[in-house]
Amino acid sequence: MLTAQAHWRSLDFISDLHLQASEPATFAAWQRYMAGTPADALFILGDLFEVWVGDDITTAADDPEAAFARQCQQVLQATSARLPVYFMHGNRDFLLGENFARACGMTLLADPTLLDFDGQRWLLSHGDALCLGDVDYQQFRRQVRKPAWQTNFLTKPLAERQAIARGLRAQSESLKTSGVSYADVDAETAMSWLRANQASTLIHGHTHRPGDHVLDAAAQPALRRLVLSDWDATAQSPRLEVLRLQAGHAPRRVALAPGL
């Protein structure tokens, strides 16, 4: 369990930014937010990056993806110099390792992590492990989270890893355009997680379906889940939202203005 520091009064939660060099507007919005957030601590609950093929990307020369990774590292370093930054792996950046986290000043979190803040117990997760209806993905997830698979993948040349990642992203985009309906979080499993951790609120991302859901209204206190938004500065209605917990107040969604 992570216990909030005594002076923490405001915590920010973000996820699913899917940062990539080809989306400079979203990167710029994130950079501005990171430089100005008033939070006492920041929690990044997965998929900060569109893809992460290994920490050695930051040392590659003459590679646009490497240059972008170094830009992101600089932003994270600057932010972690003034407030704690916590990172939880998502389904796109589960290969982000201790080396990169250490270089950025970030603390890695297990999924799920129980947070004790403002007299409440909050359960944090990326959310993908709870989408049980996506059977194919759950099988893929079990495979790629095994240490042996990761060790084998990370020993491949960087260019080969990047090519594999591009292929997986192409498959993902093809599924999106086909109109396939993605599974949402399994409510019974979410409640089971909450009860096992004696928590009342689950905070997660992954689904790109921001909202507040009551899972069990009869429980004392009621069990619920708060879903984080993905980020896209170029969408017709820009999505640049932060979930903020402030001591003594209800959770609040903060919509950032593009370009500000």
Side-chain angles (χ1 to χ4, degrees), residues 54-70 158-159 161-162:
D55 291 357
D56 57 338
I57 185 66
T58 60
T59 60
D62 302 321
D63 186 309
E65 292 183 22
F68 180 72
R70 287 191 288 270
L158 177 60
R161 282 178 270 147
Q162 289 173 317

Side-chain angles (χ1 to χ4, degrees), residues 53-54 56 153-166:
V53 296
D56 57 338
F153 182 82
L154 291 172
T155 57
K156 299 179 186 295
L158 177 60
E160 183 178 349
R161 282 178 270 147
Q162 289 173 317
I164 293 171
R166 284 192 292 271

